[in-house]
PDB file of all heavy atoms in Angstrom:
ATOM      1  N   ALA A 131     -29.010  44.557 108.597  1.00  0.00           N
ATOM      2  CA  ALA A 131     -30.407  44.973 108.462  1.00  0.00           C
ATOM      3  C   ALA A 131     -31.161  44.054 107.515  1.00  0.00           C
ATOM      4  O   ALA A 131     -32.350  43.772 107.714  1.00  0.00           O
ATOM      5  CB  ALA A 131     -30.473  46.422 107.962  1.00  0.00           C
ATOM      6  N   GLY A 132     -30.498  43.606 106.452  1.00  0.00           N
ATOM      7  CA  GLY A 132     -31.088  42.604 105.571  1.00  0.00           C
ATOM      8  C   GLY A 132     -32.414  42.996 104.955  1.00  0.00           C
ATOM      9  O   GLY A 132     -33.292  42.152 104.758  1.00  0.00           O
ATOM     10  N   ASN A 133     -32.594  44.298 104.670  1.00  0.00           N
ATOM     11  CA  ASN A 133     -33.844  44.794 104.070  1.00  0.00           C
ATOM     12  C   ASN A 133     -35.069  44.532 104.938  1.00  0.00           C
ATOM     13  O   ASN A 133     -36.189  44.483 104.441  1.00  0.00           O
ATOM     14  CB  ASN A 133     -34.052  44.190 102.673  1.00  0.00           C
ATOM     15  CG  ASN A 133     -32.984  44.638 101.698  1.00  0.00           C
ATOM     16  OD1 ASN A 133     -32.608  45.810 101.672  1.00  0.00           O
ATOM     17  ND2 ASN A 133     -32.477  43.710 100.907  1.00  0.00           N
ATOM     18  N   LYS A 134     -34.829  44.363 106.246  1.00  0.00           N
ATOM     19  CA  LYS A 134     -35.931  44.198 107.185  1.00  0.00           C
ATOM     20  C   LYS A 134     -35.938  45.386 108.139  1.00  0.00           C
ATOM     21  O   LYS A 134     -35.101  46.275 108.063  1.00  0.00           O
ATOM     22  CB  LYS A 134     -35.780  42.885 107.959  1.00  0.00           C
ATOM     23  CG  LYS A 134     -35.847  41.646 107.072  1.00  0.00           C
ATOM     24  CD  LYS A 134     -35.739  40.376 107.897  1.00  0.00           C
ATOM     25  CE  LYS A 134     -35.829  39.150 107.028  1.00  0.00           C
ATOM     26  NZ  LYS A 134     -35.732  37.883 107.826  1.00  0.00           N
ATOM     27  N   ASP A 135     -36.910  45.414 109.051  1.00  0.00           N
ATOM     28  CA  ASP A 135     -37.000  46.527 109.993  1.00  0.00           C
ATOM     29  C   ASP A 135     -35.780  46.543 110.920  1.00  0.00           C
ATOM     30  O   ASP A 135     -35.233  45.496 111.277  1.00  0.00           O
ATOM     31  CB  ASP A 135     -38.274  46.410 110.830  1.00  0.00           C
ATOM     32  CG  ASP A 135     -39.524  46.653 110.000  1.00  0.00           C
ATOM     33  OD1 ASP A 135     -39.397  47.046 108.824  1.00  0.00           O
ATOM     34  OD2 ASP A 135     -40.629  46.449 110.531  1.00  0.00           O
ATOM     35  N   PHE A 136     -35.373  47.750 111.324  1.00  0.00           N
ATOM     36  CA  PHE A 136     -34.240  47.875 112.219  1.00  0.00           C
ATOM     37  C   PHE A 136     -34.302  49.213 112.950  1.00  0.00           C
ATOM     38  O   PHE A 136     -35.017  50.139 112.561  1.00  0.00           O
ATOM     39  CB  PHE A 136     -32.906  47.765 111.457  1.00  0.00           C
ATOM     40  CG  PHE A 136     -32.630  48.930 110.540  1.00  0.00           C
ATOM     41  CD1 PHE A 136     -31.982  50.066 110.996  1.00  0.00           C
ATOM     42  CD2 PHE A 136     -33.032  48.886 109.213  1.00  0.00           C
ATOM     43  CE1 PHE A 136     -31.738  51.146 110.153  1.00  0.00           C
ATOM     44  CE2 PHE A 136     -32.779  49.956 108.354  1.00  0.00           C
ATOM     45  CZ  PHE A 136     -32.137  51.088 108.831  1.00  0.00           C
ATOM     46  N   PHE A 137     -33.522  49.312 114.023  1.00  0.00           N
ATOM     47  CA  PHE A 137     -33.327  50.563 114.762  1.00  0.00           C
ATOM     48  C   PHE A 137     -31.871  50.587 115.200  1.00  0.00           C
ATOM     49  O   PHE A 137     -31.405  49.659 115.867  1.00  0.00           O
ATOM     50  CB  PHE A 137     -34.263  50.622 115.979  1.00  0.00           C
ATOM     51  CG  PHE A 137     -34.236  51.939 116.692  1.00  0.00           C
ATOM     52  CD1 PHE A 137     -34.961  53.014 116.211  1.00  0.00           C
ATOM     53  CD2 PHE A 137     -33.485  52.113 117.844  1.00  0.00           C
ATOM     54  CE1 PHE A 137     -34.933  54.233 116.863  1.00  0.00           C
ATOM     55  CE2 PHE A 137     -33.458  53.325 118.511  1.00  0.00           C
ATOM     56  CZ  PHE A 137     -34.189  54.391 118.006  1.00  0.00           C
ATOM     57  N   ILE A 138     -31.128  51.620 114.806  1.00  0.00           N
ATOM     58  CA  ILE A 138     -29.699  51.687 115.088  1.00  0.00           C
ATOM     59  C   ILE A 138     -29.353  53.022 115.735  1.00  0.00           C
ATOM     60  O   ILE A 138     -29.709  54.081 115.216  1.00  0.00           O
ATOM     61  CB  ILE A 138     -28.851  51.518 113.809  1.00  0.00           C
ATOM     62  CG1 ILE A 138     -29.049  50.126 113.202  1.00  0.00           C
ATOM     63  CG2 ILE A 138     -27.371  51.745 114.115  1.00  0.00           C
ATOM     64  CD1 ILE A 138     -28.337  49.941 111.875  1.00  0.00           C
ATOM     65  N   ILE A 139     -28.666  52.951 116.858  1.00  0.00           N
ATOM     66  CA  ILE A 139     -28.113  54.145 117.512  1.00  0.00           C
ATOM     67  C   ILE A 139     -26.601  54.112 117.319  1.00  0.00           C
ATOM     68  O   ILE A 139     -25.926  53.209 117.806  1.00  0.00           O
ATOM     69  CB  ILE A 139     -28.439  54.166 119.013  1.00  0.00           C
ATOM     70  CG1 ILE A 139     -29.949  54.118 119.244  1.00  0.00           C
ATOM     71  CG2 ILE A 139     -27.827  55.401 119.677  1.00  0.00           C
ATOM     72  CD1 ILE A 139     -30.327  53.869 120.703  1.00  0.00           C
ATOM     73  N   SER A 140     -26.076  55.071 116.592  1.00  0.00           N
ATOM     74  CA  SER A 140     -24.631  55.213 116.439  1.00  0.00           C
ATOM     75  C   SER A 140     -24.218  56.479 117.174  1.00  0.00           C
ATOM     76  O   SER A 140     -24.783  57.549 116.939  1.00  0.00           O
ATOM     77  CB  SER A 140     -24.254  55.313 114.957  1.00  0.00           C
ATOM     78  OG  SER A 140     -22.856  55.473 114.810  1.00  0.00           O
ATOM     79  N   ALA A 141     -23.250  56.350 118.075  1.00  0.00           N
ATOM     80  CA  ALA A 141     -22.819  57.501 118.874  1.00  0.00           C
ATOM     81  C   ALA A 141     -21.304  57.503 118.976  1.00  0.00           C
ATOM     82  O   ALA A 141     -20.678  56.446 119.126  1.00  0.00           O
ATOM     83  CB  ALA A 141     -23.444  57.439 120.269  1.00  0.00           C
ATOM     84  N   ALA A 142     -20.706  58.688 118.885  1.00  0.00           N
ATOM     85  CA  ALA A 142     -19.257  58.814 118.925  1.00  0.00           C
ATOM     86  C   ALA A 142     -18.848  59.955 119.845  1.00  0.00           C
ATOM     87  O   ALA A 142     -19.543  60.964 119.949  1.00  0.00           O
ATOM     88  CB  ALA A 142     -18.703  59.055 117.515  1.00  0.00           C
ATOM     89  N   THR A 143     -17.702  59.779 120.499  1.00  0.00           N
ATOM     90  CA  THR A 143     -17.165  60.860 121.328  1.00  0.00           C
ATOM     91  C   THR A 143     -16.641  61.973 120.422  1.00  0.00           C
ATOM     92  O   THR A 143     -15.877  61.723 119.492  1.00  0.00           O
ATOM     93  CB  THR A 143     -16.033  60.344 122.232  1.00  0.00           C
ATOM     94  OG1 THR A 143     -15.072  59.631 121.431  1.00  0.00           O
ATOM     95  CG2 THR A 143     -16.566  59.408 123.293  1.00  0.00           C
ATOM     96  N   LEU A 144     -17.060  63.178 120.703  1.00  0.00           N
ATOM     97  CA  LEU A 144     -16.607  64.345 119.939  1.00  0.00           C
ATOM     98  C   LEU A 144     -16.691  65.544 120.873  1.00  0.00           C
ATOM     99  O   LEU A 144     -17.776  66.078 121.134  1.00  0.00           O
ATOM    100  CB  LEU A 144     -17.484  64.553 118.704  1.00  0.00           C
ATOM    101  CG  LEU A 144     -17.020  65.622 117.710  1.00  0.00           C
ATOM    102  CD1 LEU A 144     -15.686  65.229 117.081  1.00  0.00           C
ATOM    103  CD2 LEU A 144     -18.060  65.858 116.630  1.00  0.00           C
ATOM    104  N   ALA A 145     -15.540  65.967 121.390  1.00  0.00           N
ATOM    105  CA  ALA A 145     -15.519  66.966 122.455  1.00  0.00           C
ATOM    106  C   ALA A 145     -16.114  68.305 122.031  1.00  0.00           C
ATOM    107  O   ALA A 145     -16.869  68.925 122.783  1.00  0.00           O
ATOM    108  CB  ALA A 145     -14.085  67.152 122.951  1.00  0.00           C
ATOM    109  N   ASP A 146     -15.771  68.769 120.835  1.00  0.00           N
ATOM    110  CA  ASP A 146     -16.187  70.112 120.417  1.00  0.00           C
ATOM    111  C   ASP A 146     -17.463  70.074 119.594  1.00  0.00           C
ATOM    112  O   ASP A 146     -17.677  69.178 118.770  1.00  0.00           O
ATOM    113  CB  ASP A 146     -15.075  70.773 119.591  1.00  0.00           C
ATOM    114  CG  ASP A 146     -13.799  70.964 120.399  1.00  0.00           C
ATOM    115  OD1 ASP A 146     -13.910  71.196 121.615  1.00  0.00           O
ATOM    116  OD2 ASP A 146     -12.707  70.866 119.813  1.00  0.00           O
ATOM    117  N   ASN A 147     -18.294  71.062 119.794  1.00  0.00           N
ATOM    118  CA  ASN A 147     -19.562  71.186 119.069  1.00  0.00           C
ATOM    119  C   ASN A 147     -19.299  71.495 117.590  1.00  0.00           C
ATOM    120  O   ASN A 147     -18.798  72.564 117.261  1.00  0.00           O
ATOM    121  CB  ASN A 147     -20.390  72.311 119.717  1.00  0.00           C
ATOM    122  CG  ASN A 147     -21.682  72.584 118.970  1.00  0.00           C
ATOM    123  OD1 ASN A 147     -22.086  71.831 118.091  1.00  0.00           O
ATOM    124  ND2 ASN A 147     -22.342  73.671 119.344  1.00  0.00           N
ATOM    125  N   PRO A 148     -19.634  70.572 116.675  1.00  0.00           N
ATOM    126  CA  PRO A 148     -19.370  70.813 115.250  1.00  0.00           C
ATOM    127  C   PRO A 148     -20.376  71.758 114.611  1.00  0.00           C
ATOM    128  O   PRO A 148     -20.182  72.192 113.475  1.00  0.00           O
ATOM    129  CB  PRO A 148     -19.490  69.413 114.641  1.00  0.00           C
ATOM    130  CG  PRO A 148     -20.492  68.730 115.507  1.00  0.00           C
ATOM    131  CD  PRO A 148     -20.250  69.256 116.908  1.00  0.00           C
ATOM    132  N   PHE A 149     -21.456  72.074 115.346  1.00  0.00           N
ATOM    133  CA  PHE A 149     -22.512  72.924 114.807  1.00  0.00           C
ATOM    134  C   PHE A 149     -22.491  74.325 115.425  1.00  0.00           C
ATOM    135  O   PHE A 149     -23.512  75.017 115.448  1.00  0.00           O
ATOM    136  CB  PHE A 149     -23.879  72.278 115.034  1.00  0.00           C
ATOM    137  CG  PHE A 149     -23.978  70.880 114.485  1.00  0.00           C
ATOM    138  CD1 PHE A 149     -24.313  69.822 115.313  1.00  0.00           C
ATOM    139  CD2 PHE A 149     -23.712  70.616 113.154  1.00  0.00           C
ATOM    140  CE1 PHE A 149     -24.405  68.528 114.813  1.00  0.00           C
ATOM    141  CE2 PHE A 149     -23.785  69.329 112.643  1.00  0.00           C
ATOM    142  CZ  PHE A 149     -24.141  68.284 113.480  1.00  0.00           C
ATOM    143  N   LEU A 150     -21.326  74.722 115.930  1.00  0.00           N
ATOM    144  CA  LEU A 150     -21.190  76.031 116.548  1.00  0.00           C
ATOM    145  C   LEU A 150     -21.537  77.125 115.540  1.00  0.00           C
ATOM    146  O   LEU A 150     -21.014  77.169 114.427  1.00  0.00           O
ATOM    147  CB  LEU A 150     -19.757  76.222 117.052  1.00  0.00           C
ATOM    148  CG  LEU A 150     -19.507  77.445 117.931  1.00  0.00           C
ATOM    149  CD1 LEU A 150     -20.304  77.340 119.223  1.00  0.00           C
ATOM    150  CD2 LEU A 150     -18.016  77.581 118.240  1.00  0.00           C
ATOM    151  N   ASP A 151     -22.437  78.003 115.933  1.00  0.00           N
ATOM    152  CA  ASP A 151     -22.905  79.066 115.037  1.00  0.00           C
ATOM    153  C   ASP A 151     -22.500  80.417 115.621  1.00  0.00           C
ATOM    154  O   ASP A 151     -23.080  80.885 116.592  1.00  0.00           O
ATOM    155  CB  ASP A 151     -24.423  78.970 114.895  1.00  0.00           C
ATOM    156  CG  ASP A 151     -24.950  79.835 113.759  1.00  0.00           C
ATOM    157  OD1 ASP A 151     -24.129  80.512 113.114  1.00  0.00           O
ATOM    158  OD2 ASP A 151     -26.167  79.834 113.522  1.00  0.00           O
TER     159      ASP A 151
END
Side-chain angles (χ1 to χ4, degrees):
N133 295 317
K134 297 182 179 180
D135 291 353
F136 68 88
F137 187 81
I138 296 175
I139 302 169
S140 179
T143 51
L144 188 64
D146 298 327
N147 176 11
F149 305 123
L150 190 64
D151 192 359

